[in-house]
Amino acid sequence: MDQQELRELESRCIQECAPWCSAACPVHVDVRAMNAAIAKGDFAAALKIFTKSVPFPGIISRVCDHPCQDSCKRGDAGSTISIRALERAAFAQAPVTKARVTPLPRKDKRVAVVGGGLSGLTASLDLAKKGYQIVLFEATDRLGGSLWDYPETELPREAILRDFDILADLSVEIRLKTSVGQDIPLSDLQKEFDAVYLGSGFGSRNEGELNVTADALVPVTQETFETNEPGVFAGGTLVRGAKERSPIRSISDGRRTAISIDRFLQKVSLTASRENEGSYETRLYTSLEGIEALPEVPLSNAPEGYSAEEAVQEAKRCLQCECMECVKVCEFLASFKGYPKKYIRQIYNNLSIVMGQRHGNKLINSCSNCGLCKEVCPEDLHMGEICIAARETMVEQGKMPPSAHEFALRDMEFSNSDKFALHRHQPGMDSSRFLFFPGCQLCASSPINVKRTYSYLAERLTGGVGLMLRCCGAPADWAGRKEEFARVVSGFEAQWLEMGKPELIVACSTCYSVFKAHLPHVKVQSLWETIDTLGLPDVPRMETFAVAVHDPCTSRHHDSIQDSVRNILRRLGYEIHELPLSRNTTECCGFGGLMYFANRELAEKTVRRRISESPLQYLAYCAMCRDQFSFEGKPAWHLLDFIFGPGDFEHAAQKGPDYSQRRENRARLKHSLLKDLWGEDVAEGRQPVKLQISEQVRDLMERRMILTEDIQEIIEWAERTGFKLVNSHSGHFLAHHTPTTVTYWVEYSPAEDGFVVHNAYSHRMEIMEELKP
Ligand code: SF4
Ligand code: SF4
Ligand code: SF4
């Protein structure tokens, strides 16, 4: 994944786009933040936000033509927020303080500003703050231009004068009753000053040198406000015409021209990075689902504006527009306290630093790759794919800590080793039209259901049903181990070819997705589609009840599998309840993408979130989902328990097997299938040492992902080699062993028949010291 790609992906997340109000506001007042402050009753903070963008708050909060309000998203759910009235309330309710302006050190460049209206005043202020020497020419005897035309009731004189106080802090030289064009020609200003801004109304213009258009407007370059005269800029009414009179646009013109003049005088690009100046259309998306339509809060005393209470109520109507659609539905995205745009930047930083900094590792490895984010994102952004690609890059760069996915990868290796892997034609046949592929987790969770399903398929289908036990490779794919994944896939393919390219019947939707995506030439159907077509087995079953159906996240885009599951349930007589997020918007059970191994706490939160969505018993058709729910105490069934009657699980609340049992179950399943179906006796390996493990230690081992098998190996090795420490107080032995990258420690003592395990733990460091017997 290269940096360019990451940049493009980052730009797709629109969470940081401005809300409609701010994008439409020509000076981009942060209305959302201002409203949030007012909603909390903090008018001082609200005024501070407002004045950050607006230099004349008393004037604008009364006479602004409020394009923000006209674009407000609340308009689609009730009526738009009365933004100008809230600005006025902020101004009226905040304690009166005089904002002090400290200009930058004085520069030797001089700028002439023509016109003392809002645009000229804003340009003067902004440039004076930057340290330029400003001379403001105003044809009349007072500043403010057409502001004085408003009736006193609408814009009190006192409000104008109070706002103009700000000029006193800045050394702007004001020359009243000086008409440029009449008293002083523009060409003189050009000679005397380093730049000129024409921000006057029509009364005092000088068109001589300026190529004025037929409709009597001064033509300027749109983005930069440059006229055809070098160093002369123009804005406001002179450029847009009197018809388009807008106080807030005048301020915006003054500000934008000040930026151009500053750049012009600094001899840098006038056009770079100026895309979102002035009003523009935002790309933001905000869902209105579940939003109650609310009318605006009426003014009880219109001439005075909102009271503090009314303003708080009105501000509370603000939707605080943002996207966050993916974060709302994903525990992973929510738990890192940000959103994809931020996360992609973090991933970018993580991958671009050659060594050392690995702040993003946890983030990158915690996503379950379930794809729900993409389903709800208006921009189709799939964080799962990004995290997997980042994992691949980390593996390629040698930056992936081996411990992150070590357990899952060892488990996959076990499943594809002789201890579990198996492929056979149906007993008595030498070819297979079909091949049942139960997947490693169903075999680990419920071996009896694998046997019952295989017998059922062999009985119902003609042409031979072969059996293949192994792992599809999903753990390697999720871990970003491309090479390992390719090896597993080609290992499968070799056996599949050897069996004569039979059509696959898979019980697990993860296997189904892996085969569909990576082996498109292999014909594959889901077991649920097969059973839906073949009909139910004729066996005694339990009484039916209402269930909430959980679709595994890997079934997300497979409607026909989801339909078949529901058909089967209906035929069995169950009452089906759909969870709020189901089918193509289903959620992960917390196991996918190896989230469970990289971030256990998050995986548990993810399961708990899912199981809290309905009080009903859950029905899953992925063994891992079923076991994840039951681990957290949710009564849950696997669909095969309904089809064949309870098998390994006698009741819904029964927990699935622990890690050690899961391995044991797989190995035993292979042995018993070989023996029962193919009459092959498998030589038992050497007898492992016998262990006594208390419930408490077993729980510890489960949390620490340590298998009984690991402990046996360590004790056997320690006893054989004598590499062990003795605790002189307790007399217990302490031994360690590192099968691959994780070091396991076990504290044990001999017993009459084997050993007692007192404690077991693991760590991710390599042990280098030498222990002498
Ligand atoms: S609802 Fe609030 S944040 Fe959204 S556009 Fe309106 S004022 Fe802005
Ligand atoms: S866990 Fe699922 S929804 Fe959340 S970011 Fe990853 S793929 Fe998207
Ligand atoms: S849904 Fe998420 S990723 Fe998509 S635009 Fe919104 S915040 Fe960004």
Side-chain angles (χ1 to χ4, degrees):
M1 160 161 279
D2 66 35
Q3 313 243 322
Q4 175 66 20
E5 254 176 281
L6 277 170
R7 288 258 181 251
E8 274 160 26
L9 288 165
E10 186 215 330
S11 72
R12 271 173 53 196
C13 174
I14 51 169
Q15 167 62 14
E16 286 178 7
C17 289
W20 285 263
C21 47
S22 303
C25 169
V27 294
H28 309 313
V29 171
D30 189 349
V31 178
R32 184 172 57 186
M34 182 188 77
N35 289 352
I38 297 177
K40 282 194 270 169
D42 191 346
F43 291 96
L47 182 60
K48 205 166 164 198
I49 295 164
F50 181 41
T51 49
K52 200 172 161 210
S53 308
V54 174
F56 306 110
I59 297 167
I60 286 300
S61 66
R62 282 173 176 271
V63 299
C64 183
D65 45 312
H66 54 65
C68 56
Q69 205 159 311
D70 303 336
S71 315
C72 169
K73 186 79 181 162
R74 205 9 145 167
D76 297 339
S79 60
T80 59
I81 302 290
S82 306
I83 299 171
R84 191 180 70 189
L86 287 176
E87 289 168 348
R88 187 172 160 194
F91 187 71
Q93 304 294 338
V96 182
T97 50
K98 175 136 180 33
R100 297 237 72 88
V101 190
T102 329
L104 292 177
R106 195 178 156 95
K107 292 187 171 75
D108 61 0
K109 298 268 193 276
R110 301 180 74 228
V111 182
V113 174
V114 181
L118 284 175
S119 87
L121 286 169
T122 306
S124 302
L125 274 179
D126 285 4
L127 289 165
K129 279 189 211 165
K130 288 186 187 296
Y132 292 106
Q133 299 170 42
I134 310 298
V135 179
L136 174 60
F137 296 89
E138 166 56 42
T140 70
D141 59 356
R142 60 183 175 182
L143 296 177
S146 58
L147 287 175
W148 301 98
D149 300 344
Y150 287 97
E152 169 81 24
T153 45
E154 224 177 298
L155 182 60
R157 288 4 185 183
E158 184 270 328
I160 302 176
L161 297 172
R162 185 176 151 189
D163 271 0
F164 287 175
D165 256 8
I166 193 173
L167 291 162
D169 290 341
L170 297 157
S171 50
V172 175
E173 186 190 328
I174 297 166
R175 292 189 196 165
L176 296 176
K177 295 192 218 158
T178 312
S179 173
V180 174
Q182 284 170 21
D183 303 325
I184 174 169
L186 177 59
S187 52
D188 281 8
L189 296 189
Q190 286 176 273
K191 274 180 223 141
E192 197 186 327
F193 292 88
D194 298 288
V196 179
Y197 174 46
L198 299 176
S200 58
F202 283 97
S204 59
R205 53 193 302 185
N206 180 322
E207 352 185 298
E209 302 91 332
L210 287 172
N211 252 351
V212 174
T213 57
D215 52 1
L217 300 178
V218 174
V220 291
T221 313
Q222 273 231 317
E223 252 183 15
T224 60
F225 297 83
E226 290 166 285
T227 64
N228 56 321
E229 280 290 305
V232 179
F233 299 78
T237 317
L238 204 55
V239 168
R240 272 185 279 101
K243 260 194 274 158
E244 265 202 58
R245 188 128 163 227
S246 156
I248 197 67
R249 285 198 174 92
S250 292
I251 290 184
S252 167
D253 285 0
R255 172 149 298 158
R256 294 170 69 189
T257 314
I259 295 172
S260 294
I261 292 176
D262 180 38
R263 291 185 179 200
F264 170 76
L265 295 176
Q266 297 214 48
K267 300 193 174 26
V268 294
S269 162
L270 261 66
T271 51
S273 310
R274 299 189 72 169
E275 300 78 28
N276 286 345
E277 281 183 10
S279 295
Y280 65 90
E281 281 207 14
T282 183
R283 284 171 58 214
L284 188 66
Y285 170 81
T286 295
S287 166
L288 294 180
E289 210 186 308
I291 302 281
E292 196 192 337
L294 292 174
E296 66 185 271
V297 172
L299 286 158
S300 54
N301 186 358
E304 287 306 308
Y306 276 138
S307 66
E309 296 72 35
E310 286 166 345
V312 168
Q313 288 316 311
E314 178 64 1
K316 282 186 175 162
R317 279 201 320 124
C318 170
L319 300 171
Q320 291 294 307
C321 293
E322 60 174 357
C323 178
M324 296 295 260
E325 286 302 293
C326 56
V327 183
K328 287 184 212 160
V329 294
C330 169
E331 200 65 43
F332 156 63
L333 292 172
S335 78
F336 283 84
K337 313 263 179 275
Y339 41 84
K341 195 175 190 73
K342 258 191 175 173
Y343 300 151
I344 296 170
R345 268 184 231 137
Q346 230 169 305
I347 293 174
Y348 177 92
N349 289 339
N350 213 61
L351 299 183
S352 59
I353 292 162
V354 184
M355 291 297 285
Q357 301 276 331
R358 288 173 183 186
H359 295 311
N361 287 6
K362 187 99 176 166
L363 173 88
I364 291 171
N365 284 328
S366 294
C367 165
S368 75
N369 188 29
C370 72
L372 176 55
C373 47
K374 182 175 181 220
E375 296 304 310
V376 298
C377 173
E379 300 289 317
D380 287 344
L381 198 69
H382 193 320
M383 267 307 281
E385 281 174 3
I386 298 170
C387 288
I388 298 286
R391 290 179 204 175
E392 288 170 359
T393 309
M394 282 169 71
V395 170
E396 276 162 26
Q397 296 177 342
K399 285 199 209 165
M400 177 64 87
S403 55
H405 305 121
E406 203 256 359
F407 186 90
L409 294 173
R410 274 179 70 203
D411 206 45
M412 181 187 77
E413 204 180 297
F414 170 89
S415 293
N416 290 333
S417 75
D418 280 349
K419 291 185 180 150
F420 174 62
L422 170 82
H423 63 292
R424 288 277 191 285
H425 293 299
Q426 191 172 326
M429 306 195 68
D430 54 12
S431 67
S432 299
R433 200 172 134 219
F434 299 98
L435 181 64
F436 179 42
F437 191 98
C440 55
Q441 295 303 352
L442 181 61
C443 298
S445 170
S446 181
I448 194 171
N449 276 337
V450 175
K451 287 183 170 179
R452 298 193 298 190
T453 308
Y454 183 55
S455 306
Y456 159 87
L457 293 173
E459 202 181 290
R460 299 279 178 122
L461 292 166
T462 53
V465 183
L467 177 70
M468 186 183 282
L469 303 182
R470 58 184 287 131
C471 169
C472 66
D477 192 26
W478 286 333
R481 309 249 163 206
K482 274 202 237 160
E483 282 177 20
E484 236 160 305
F485 177 61
R487 244 195 328 272
V488 175
V489 170
S490 64
F492 160 83
E493 202 177 7
Q495 294 181 344
W496 172 74
L497 287 171
E498 189 191 315
M499 294 192 72
K501 303 186 192 171
E503 180 170 349
L504 279 190
I505 299 174
V506 297
C508 166
S509 47
T510 302
C511 306
Y512 184 90
S513 316
V514 166
F515 293 132
K516 280 273 179 201
H518 299 276
L519 292 165
H521 52 287
V522 174
K523 213 168 160 203
V524 52
Q525 56 178 293
S526 149
L527 174 64
W528 318 117
E529 293 166 313
T530 318
I531 297 180
D532 191 19
T533 313
L534 294 178
L536 295 167
D538 190 13
V539 291
R541 297 189 188 95
M542 54 185 159
E543 280 204 7
T544 59
F545 41 87
V547 285
V549 179
H550 163 79
D551 298 294
C553 56
T554 42
S555 78
R556 187 179 310 288
H557 297 123
H558 306 303
D559 293 353
S560 85
I561 299 180
Q562 296 167 350
D563 289 343
S564 292
V565 166
R566 285 158 179 80
N567 290 343
I568 293 169
L569 282 170
R570 266 190 290 272
R571 228 176 284 158
L572 286 165
Y574 285 88
E575 189 183 318
I576 301 172
H577 283 251
E578 296 291 354
L579 289 165
L581 289 171
S582 65
R583 289 184 172 259
N584 67 340
T585 55
T586 189
E587 287 170 279
C588 176
C589 69
F591 188 80
L594 305 184
M595 174 197 269
Y596 191 75
F597 300 97
N599 192 338
R600 177 78 66 91
E601 205 184 315
L602 174 64
E604 285 170 357
K605 263 200 212 161
T606 304
V607 191
R608 285 201 286 273
R609 175 184 180 129
R610 184 57 166 167
I611 61 182
S612 68
E613 288 167 12
S614 166
L616 293 174
Q617 297 191 21
Y618 277 19
L619 179 277
Y621 45 103
C622 161
M624 211 57 236
C625 298
R626 187 265 157 208
D627 290 350
Q628 284 281 92
F629 299 150
S630 76
F631 282 140
E632 286 295 326
K634 178 74 182 177
W637 295 98
H638 190 279
L639 183 53
L640 289 173
D641 294 325
F642 286 176
I643 294 172
F644 294 107
D648 290 285
F649 303 108
E650 292 301 326
H651 55 84
Q654 189 181 328
K655 285 199 173 27
D658 65 23
Y659 290 131
S660 300
Q661 287 162 340
R662 295 183 93 81
R663 265 210 199 170
E664 185 70 21
N665 281 350
R666 273 178 263 170
R668 280 175 194 241
L669 174 67
K670 173 177 177 176
H671 286 197
S672 79
L673 282 168
L674 279 176
K675 193 164 169 192
D676 299 348
L677 300 183
W678 287 277
E680 290 175 30
D681 253 334
V682 183
E684 290 288 334
R686 104 199 123 69
Q687 279 301 308
V689 290
K690 283 204 178 133
L691 300 180
Q692 293 170 28
I693 308 178
S694 66
E695 268 309 301
Q696 202 192 357
V697 174
R698 264 200 197 286
D699 278 356
L700 274 180
M701 287 166 54
E702 189 66 4
R703 291 208 72 76
R704 294 170 181 170
M705 292 187 280
I706 301 171
L707 302 174
T708 311
E709 201 180 292
D710 295 325
I711 303 229
Q712 282 162 336
E713 237 181 271
I714 299 165
I715 297 181
E716 279 167 3
W717 179 79
E719 290 300 310
R720 198 170 60 245
T721 59
F723 284 114
K724 59 187 176 185
L725 299 168
V726 186
N727 181 322
S728 55
H729 289 295
S730 62
H732 294 171
F733 295 130
L734 186 64
H736 72 78
H737 183 44
T738 311
T740 48
T741 49
V742 174
T743 301
Y744 297 96
W745 291 84
V746 56
E747 184 187 335
Y748 68 100
S749 59
E752 221 171 88
D753 180 22
F755 296 90
V756 181
V757 178
H758 301 287
N759 197 0
Y761 45 95
S762 62
H763 65 69
R764 271 64 183 148
M765 266 187 307
E766 230 178 295
I767 301 294
M768 297 301 288
E769 90 273 32
E770 277 183 26
L771 288 176
K772 296 282 178 231

